Amino acid sequence: MAVVTNAEVLSVIEHGEDVREFVLKPKVYKRFEAGTFLQLTLENVSASEIWPDSRTFSIASCHNKDKTMRLIIKKVGEYTGRLFDELKEGSECTIKYSFGDFLLPVFDKKNPIVCIAGGTGIAPFLSFLGQLKNEGSLDRMYLLYSVKKFDNFIDMEILKENLLDKQTSFHCTREEVNGFKNNRINLNEIIKISQNNKDAHYYICGSKEFITDFKEKLFEKGFNNVYTDEWE
């Protein structure tokens, strides 16, 4: 059963133009799975009331002892614009959590987990990173991560600290930055990083076009364990 609770904004972090990270402290904090998402509204509403205008966002952290949740939000329309204007440190919102089936494969504890992220699509993979680290199985995780500008990278130090070079491929498409690829992720890189493993699990999160492109290409190559985060 979903939890409906007020949540305090503990901090707001800028990640380049029009991308912000919000750290929330829910009043009611219950266990949730990495890869799930929540529904957020600026209104103060209870579980028994009609749910007002809201948006859904991936939870960019796993269940943790600090009892916090991270959200990575890009300003793309009127409502996210309101969030940027009204969600300040110390303010409150209402959240309903958690939902979704973009989950780690509990039935398979052996094969690689290949995460393909575009922009703010990194959010669920940050929760994967936390959960896999807690389980002592970070060696299974491979990450291909693309952003437009270097400032848009999120948790780069944490990613580099926890994942080996052979487990990552970082792309900055509109800026040349030493140590980062100045091109888009391509299918050959995905196949190379996963060693053409048909039993690996491939997760894709980003724009609709980003998801559709890689999903179709992976299926065409015979990769069947493909999961996408395509909720609205």
Side-chain angles (χ1 to χ4, degrees):
M1 184 176 179
V3 175
V4 177
T5 180
N6 286 352
E8 179 186 358
V9 179
L10 294 184
S11 61
V12 180
I13 304 167
E14 301 276 352
H15 291 290
E17 185 178 2
D18 293 336
V19 177
R20 289 182 187 174
E21 173 183 341
F22 297 88
V23 180
L24 306 182
K25 180 85 170 181
K27 289 187 177 179
V28 179
Y29 188 81
K30 293 189 176 181
R31 179 165 293 278
F32 58 92
E33 293 297 319
T36 54
F37 64 90
L38 58 73
Q39 193 169 4
L40 181 151
T41 179
L42 291 166
E43 309 303 325
N44 184 4
V45 61
S46 68
S48 61
E49 295 178 280
I50 296 175
W51 197 255
D53 196 8
S54 62
R55 293 295 182 274
T56 50
F57 302 101
S58 292
I59 304 171
S61 53
C62 66
H63 188 267
N64 59 78
K65 64 182 180 180
D66 294 331
K67 298 183 177 182
T68 59
M69 293 179 173
R70 298 172 64 200
L71 304 179
I72 310 297
I73 300 178
K74 182 176 182 179
K75 185 165 67 172
V76 293
E78 182 178 348
Y79 199 79
T80 49
R82 280 190 63 196
L83 296 182
F84 274 42
D85 290 338
E86 299 180 35
L87 282 184
K88 308 294 184 183
E89 186 174 326
S91 65
E92 288 197 350
C93 57
T94 305
I95 60 172
K96 184 190 296 185
Y97 73 95
S98 64
F99 306 96
D101 55 7
F102 194 67
L103 308 175
L104 289 166
V106 295
F107 53 87
D108 182 354
K109 298 294 186 180
K110 178 182 177 181
N111 284 299
I113 295 160
V114 183
C115 303
I116 307 164
T120 56
I122 189 65
F125 302 137
L126 296 176
S127 68
F128 281 8
L129 180 80
Q131 184 163 317
L132 290 169
K133 184 175 182 178
N134 291 339
E135 294 174 357
S137 54
L138 266 180
D139 58 325
R140 296 177 62 199
M141 184 173 179
Y142 295 83
L143 174 66
L144 299 100
Y145 180 17
S146 175
V147 299
K148 293 178 180 177
K149 297 184 178 181
F150 183 78
D151 286 348
N152 297 141
F153 278 120
I154 297 168
D155 281 0
M156 183 54 64
E157 290 185 6
I158 292 174
L159 293 172
K160 287 192 169 186
E161 178 183 336
N162 287 281
L163 300 173
L164 301 175
D165 288 344
K166 68 178 182 179
Q167 292 175 269
T168 60
S169 182
F170 298 121
H171 299 248
C172 188
T173 62
R174 295 189 182 178
E175 289 182 350
E176 293 189 10
V177 181
N178 187 36
F180 294 81
K181 298 176 181 177
N182 184 223
N183 60 357
R184 297 175 182 272
I185 298 169
N186 62 63
L187 182 62
N188 289 335
E189 288 175 296
I190 299 172
I191 292 174
K192 181 179 179 181
I193 203 170
S194 64
Q195 299 179 348
N196 199 28
N197 189 335
K198 293 292 196 297
D199 293 321
H201 301 272
Y202 297 86
Y203 292 82
I204 313 168
C205 190
S207 67
K208 287 183 179 180
E209 295 78 10
F210 183 92
I211 291 172
T212 300
D213 181 44
F214 287 114
K215 178 173 67 173
E216 291 178 350
K217 288 177 179 177
L218 286 167
F219 280 142
E220 287 173 2
K221 287 292 185 179
F223 295 86
N224 296 314
N225 299 328
V226 180
Y227 316 94
T228 61
D229 212 17
E230 298 184 82
W231 45 266
E232 293 293 337

